[in-house]
Amino acid sequence: MLFKQQALLRQKLFVLGSLAIGSLLYLVARVGSLDRLQPLCPIDGRFGPHSQDEIPLRALQFKRGLLHEFRKGNATKEQIRLHNLVQQLPKAIIIGVRKGGTRALLEMLNLHPSVVKASQEIHFFDNDENYAKGIEWYRKKMPFSYPHQITIEKSPAYFITEEVPERIYKMNSSIKLLIIVREPTTRAISDYTQVLEGKERKNKTYYKFEKLAIDPNTCEVNTKYKAVRTSIYTKHLERWLKYFPIEQFHIVDGDRLITEPLPELQLVEKFLNLPPRISQYNLYFNATRGFYCLRFNIVFNKCLAGSKGRIHPEVDTSVITKLRKFFHPFNQKFYQITGRTFNWP
Ligand code: A3P
């Protein structure tokens, strides 16, 4: 009997304890989120002087809290008015290249307190149906931001789609354009791997990379294969240069963004005339993922989805050599035009 009463008492104490801890945690979270909702606009002007030692923690908390809510559509009109938030057309676009590291670049730039990303690929300029909906449709797809912040979107199909340069030029002829590239053969294999995974998911069979990349009749590189064509960076860039001067482009080294992201991001900050606010604090290497992940503040970290960083299938070395030889002259031209040299074989 005594034993039963003691057990009952222990159970009651356990329930009460859990309730107390739960309430405490709720209060902490609530105070934190209220703090984030204060209209104190901690984000400094874009062009003001900043010391690198200033940790943009508060601004980032604010960004994660408030703007995240707005992005999800949870904000009231009153909140939007109170915080003077707007949906702005992008001042910079990551136009490609597919599998170059476009997602990582966008997410990492979004660490900057003056940058707001469009989370989805909007495909406004490359998709005729979307383009026909007009520029207001495009603007409404943008996240809410403070007027001094810049909005960035990424749609890697822009780089290779014929009509896009002219369409973007018509929207804003002084827009800044970011292109992230990787060693062309590796990029082509990454492109293939993505398509292969899609086929496997649907239980479909697919050709081997070697079969697609090399024309079996001529034994030469198959330039009709999209993954090969996309890696001829200079051909695509030349089309863009009919509309925009080279100064409006910034080339990001996608291979270096994987191994050493900070210096690459600092170059982008400079190109966008942003004060240097992304620091080593914001990036940490995750050994399990094998990639750098993002740290917004002491509580919020994130790594990219598992679809980024796939294991590539093994490719015949003679095919790799052939592709590298094929890309070589195009790469030389690309270095010459962009003024950025890579150690691609
Ligand atoms: P792989 O899957 O071939 O490794 P995109 O976003 O343009 O599709 O590019 C995907 C590539 O981004 C991945 O290619 C991966 O290597 C690269 N990447 C760069 N930084 C990364 C990061 N921090 N986390 C995951 N992937 C990253």
Side-chain angles (χ1 to χ4, degrees):
M1 183 69 181
L2 189 66
F3 178 74
K4 224 175 173 178
Q5 271 178 343
Q6 273 178 345
L8 212 64
L9 193 68
R10 261 203 305 272
Q11 239 175 17
K12 275 184 186 166
L13 279 174
F14 177 76
V15 171
L16 281 174
S18 306
L19 276 174
I21 291 169
S23 312
L24 202 67
L25 283 175
Y26 172 78
L27 274 174
V28 169
R30 184 92 185 109
V31 168
S33 73
L34 282 176
D35 182 30
R36 289 197 296 273
L37 280 166
Q38 295 308 309
L40 46 87
C41 196
I43 302 163
D44 297 324
R46 189 146 79 80
F47 301 103
H50 290 275
S51 125
Q52 193 129 31
D53 300 328
E54 288 175 66
I55 295 177
L57 197 62
R58 195 158 180 80
L60 291 170
Q61 274 180 346
F62 194 84
K63 192 165 157 173
R64 276 299 309 163
L66 183 66
L67 294 181
H68 185 64
E69 288 302 300
F70 285 141
R71 267 200 299 273
K72 288 194 312 189
N74 294 343
T76 61
K77 280 191 180 148
E78 177 57 16
Q79 282 172 314
I80 293 168
R81 194 190 53 76
L82 184 70
H83 296 285
N84 198 19
L85 293 170
V86 278
Q87 283 171 295
Q88 308 186 74
L89 287 171
K91 293 243 167 51
I93 304 182
I94 301 171
I95 56 172
V97 179
R98 175 182 152 96
K99 304 322 293 172
T102 53
R103 174 56 61 186
L105 178 61
L106 182 71
E107 297 295 333
M108 287 174 181
L109 288 178
N110 190 51
L111 286 161
H112 196 291
S114 298
V115 171
V116 179
K117 62 160 187 179
S119 295
Q120 306 294 321
E121 290 182 8
I122 301 180
H123 290 279
F124 177 62
F125 297 103
D126 63 306
N127 181 309
D128 289 344
E129 216 174 285
N130 287 343
Y131 191 64
K133 291 176 186 160
I135 205 79
E136 263 311 286
W137 177 87
Y138 182 51
R139 200 179 59 77
K140 287 272 167 60
K141 291 276 168 202
M142 296 298 156
F144 284 96
S145 61
Y146 293 102
H148 74 272
Q149 290 180 310
I150 62 165
T151 301
I152 300 189
E153 84 125 327
K154 77 117 179 162
S155 293
Y158 291 167
F159 186 58
I160 56 158
T161 309
E162 197 85 24
E163 301 80 9
V164 173
E166 186 182 356
R167 289 175 176 179
I168 295 187
Y169 182 84
K170 279 184 183 156
M171 174 187 73
N172 178 0
S173 62
S174 57
I175 197 157
K176 301 208 173 192
L177 302 163
L178 294 161
I179 307 175
I180 178 163
V181 290
R182 268 164 97 189
E183 189 277 305
T185 303
T186 312
R187 197 220 63 82
I189 298 171
S190 172
D191 200 329
Y192 165 83
T193 310
Q194 172 156 313
V195 178
L196 175 71
E197 197 185 280
K199 301 272 179 200
E200 282 171 349
R201 228 180 296 123
K202 291 179 196 155
N203 275 329
K204 287 187 178 166
T205 54
Y206 195 45
Y207 302 107
K208 283 187 79 178
F209 177 78
E210 291 84 340
K211 186 141 195 231
L212 295 165
I214 306 294
D215 182 332
N217 299 318
T218 61
C219 286
E220 293 301 324
V221 170
N222 178 10
T223 50
K224 289 199 184 96
Y225 179 39
K226 196 172 165 197
V228 166
R229 269 191 291 125
T230 304
S231 284
I232 310 176
Y233 305 140
T234 183
K235 287 272 175 229
H236 302 288
L237 183 60
E238 278 165 32
R239 273 187 306 101
W240 283 83
L241 290 172
K242 288 182 191 145
Y243 292 89
F244 298 96
I246 194 67
E247 294 72 34
Q248 264 169 257
F249 295 86
H250 176 75
I251 310 296
V252 179
D253 182 342
D255 294 309
R256 191 165 174 233
L257 193 82
I258 297 174
T259 56
E260 221 185 332
L262 188 59
E264 279 304 315
L265 296 170
Q266 287 170 333
L267 290 174
V268 181
E269 286 179 324
K270 226 183 235 170
F271 172 69
L272 297 177
N273 290 327
L274 294 169
R277 297 296 291 275
I278 303 173
S279 69
Q280 202 57 62
Y281 170 83
N282 299 126
L283 301 156
Y284 67 97
F285 187 75
N286 182 314
T288 320
R289 267 305 263 120
F291 283 99
Y292 275 88
C293 296
L294 287 67
R295 180 185 287 123
F296 283 81
N297 54 46
I298 42 170
V299 280
F300 184 71
N301 308 328
K302 78 166 184 185
C303 295
L304 263 60
S307 60
K308 304 292 171 187
R310 297 184 176 100
I311 295 168
H312 298 178
E314 229 171 89
V315 174
D316 192 300
T317 48
S318 68
V319 170
I320 292 190
T321 309
K322 199 167 254 185
L323 281 167
R324 287 190 167 155
K325 218 168 141 193
F326 168 82
F327 286 125
H328 187 77
F330 297 113
N331 295 344
Q332 296 303 313
K333 190 126 187 254
F334 185 70
Y335 303 159
Q336 203 188 339
I337 296 175
T338 59
R340 194 156 187 192
T341 306
F342 299 98
N343 288 326
W344 297 335

